[in-house]
Amino acid sequence: MKETPRAIGSAPSPRRRILVLFAHPSPDRSEVNRPMARAAANLEGVTLVDLYGEYPTFTIDADREQARLRSHEVIVFLHPLYWYSTPAILKEWQDLVLEHGFAYGSGGTALHGKIFFNTLSAGGPEAAYRAEGYNHFTLRELLQPFEQTAMLCGMIYLPPFALFDARNAVEQGRVEAHIADWMRVLAALRDDRLDVARARRAPRLNADLAGLIREA
């Protein structure tokens, strides 16, 4: 994200810069994540990276990605839920980019204090993600490896921003409202209007936006 001097009288610079790492191996078939990525790319203060587009052979440039992480205060993984986790390229990204001495371990403090969360679409209904449901665990429980990764790296972990029953979202007319909520969250994080302490205790980030976001 190129930064330019701010002219007198122009809008203030974002308080937090947001990096959205978009991972979808078949974006042309994406009815939810791709339009969310497009919307985020148009929001001031947000840098969108299409990982499959940028690294089609999975040859990830760790130095470039680490520089991106250093220059942003909020890190978001945007993806469909694949086998209770992310598409493969995000695992490769983590393995190569979150190195010892950079993200954790001796001298690995580059990510300390940054905010991290997953934004995802899940094919099943919300009722399937509970102890008595089809998947036996809540979404936040299934994503605990990401929470522990954030903790190891000294990051502030927020619960997932999730759309359930995503296969039927277009037919049911839920996508536009979901994208609008997504933009509200990004803008609130950018402008420091989201109650981070309260959000950290929520089962998912978009469960009660009215209670989390202070309107401008």
Side-chain angles (χ1 to χ4, degrees), residues 15 147 152-153 155 162 174-175 182 191 195 208 215:
R15 297 191 64 175
E147 185 165 1
L152 180 65
C153 296
M155 303 176 80
R174 293 185 287 122
V175 175
W182 160 239
D191 301 336
D195 187 336
D208 178 25
E215 298 300 335

Side-chain angles (χ1 to χ4, degrees), residues 80-187:
L81 189 68
Y82 278 11
W83 286 104
Y84 311 113
S85 187
T86 68
I89 200 167
L90 273 172
K91 180 60 167 66
E92 181 78 353
W93 184 95
Q94 292 173 81
D95 290 345
L96 297 178
V97 176
L98 302 182
E99 294 180 310
H100 183 277
F102 169 77
Y104 71 100
S106 178
T109 60
L111 304 182
H112 281 197
K114 296 181 186 290
I115 294 172
F116 169 75
F117 66 99
N118 298 74
T119 292
L120 58 89
S121 56
E126 187 170 7
Y129 294 89
R130 57 186 61 172
E132 65 276 16
Y134 182 80
N135 293 307
H136 305 297
F137 298 94
T138 67
L139 191 57
R140 180 153 187 175
E141 288 170 339
L142 291 168
L143 296 175
Q144 282 182 344
F146 296 97
E147 185 165 1
Q148 175 56 26
T149 296
M151 291 175 63
L152 180 65
C153 296
M155 303 176 80
I156 299 168
Y157 180 80
L158 297 184
F161 182 96
L163 179 69
F164 294 101
D165 196 17
R167 296 187 185 94
N168 300 308
V170 171
E171 293 79 1
Q172 295 170 354
R174 293 185 287 122
V175 175
E176 288 187 6
H178 184 70
I179 293 176
D181 285 344
W182 160 239
M183 299 301 285
R184 284 181 65 199
V185 166
L186 291 179

